[in-house]
Amino acid sequence: TVRQCLEQIRHLQTMLFERIGKLDSGSDTLTNLLNRRFLPTVLRREIELSASNATDFAVLLIDLDHFKAINDHYGHETGDRALQQVANTLTHNTRGSDYLFRYGGEEFVVVLVGVDAIQASVIAETIRRIIAATPLQLGNDTTISLTASIGVAQWGRQDNDAVSLLRRADQAMYTAKQAGRNRVHLA
């Protein structure tokens, strides 16, 4: 009957809107990148693909240098704009097959699909250079220089799981910071 069909349509429509809401909650509202909640799923998938197809992939862990100073000196709204600018840089300088995440605070993760360590390092260096070459424009003819420290880790035999891969990328990022910031370090 028509009434039953209408009820079924309403039910399907409700399910659709609930599903859209769940998908929307998977992106960071400030940067429109994926949030870290989906990172384990993506990494698990890439690990499985790597094992079955012998494909390479790598992770970049990106941390904005001196971000706290930007927030403290210029305010959180300016800090938010800096994060949005970096997210935009990542979006425009990675491939559609790569995964971009806001990891938390001023940290980002990029999962580079189908690359080896050298290719990942070249991509990371390109991203680092673009971030450093693109100051954040403030409304009063003031600019803020942005730089990033980037750790690169390729999935390999030394990794037991996604956690160990991220740990290596994190250690590489901290090595880049300790070496003077605004640089890329390969794990």
Side-chain angles (χ1 to χ4, degrees):
T1 70
V2 172
R3 196 168 275 169
Q4 289 174 325
C5 287
L6 283 174
E7 191 58 39
Q8 186 177 15
I9 290 171
R10 281 191 198 109
H11 174 71
L12 291 171
Q13 187 177 26
T14 300
M15 287 176 45
L16 176 66
F17 285 126
E18 286 174 2
R19 183 79 175 132
I20 289 170
K22 287 179 183 176
L23 288 174
D24 278 348
S25 68
S27 66
D28 177 66
T29 56
L30 180 65
T31 63
N32 291 319
L33 302 181
L34 293 170
N35 65 36
R36 70 184 294 160
R37 170 178 136 198
F38 288 110
L39 184 58
T41 303
V42 167
L43 289 175
R44 191 171 29 251
R45 178 181 174 272
E46 290 307 315
I47 290 167
E48 289 170 3
L49 286 172
S50 179
S52 64
N53 300 336
T55 56
D56 291 327
F57 76 96
V59 170
L60 309 182
L61 185 58
I62 303 166
D63 187 83
L64 285 180
D65 297 327
H66 307 294
F67 184 73
K68 184 178 179 333
I70 293 171
N71 273 341
D72 290 349
H73 192 296
Y74 297 98
H76 290 283
E77 183 179 319
T78 300
D80 287 351
R81 287 184 51 214
L83 294 172
Q84 289 169 330
Q85 181 168 307
V86 170
N88 190 44
T89 298
L90 294 175
T91 300
H92 287 91
N93 293 282
T94 54
R95 303 159 302 165
S97 59
D98 299 325
Y99 297 91
L100 310 174
F101 297 87
R102 178 160 179 215
Y103 196 54
E106 71 275 15
E107 289 185 333
F108 300 87
V109 169
V110 179
V111 178
L112 297 171
V113 177
V115 298
D116 62 22
I118 293 170
Q119 293 165 320
S121 295
V122 168
I123 293 168
E125 180 59 27
T126 300
I127 290 168
R128 186 207 59 78
R129 276 196 329 268
I130 293 169
I131 290 170
T134 314
L136 180 64
Q137 301 289 326
L138 300 182
N140 55 2
D141 292 333
T142 303
T143 60
I144 302 171
S145 295
L146 299 176
T147 61
S149 298
I150 305 177
V152 180
Q154 180 184 4
W155 172 254
R157 285 186 209 90
Q158 69 275 32
D159 296 306
N160 299 324
D161 54 22
V163 173
S164 64
L165 175 65
L166 286 171
R167 187 177 305 120
R168 287 192 312 109
D170 189 53
Q171 289 169 345
M173 185 268 298
Y174 275 105
T175 300
K177 283 198 171 295
Q178 292 167 347
R181 301 181 194 274
N182 190 27
R183 61 192 68 227
V184 172
H185 186 79
L186 176 62

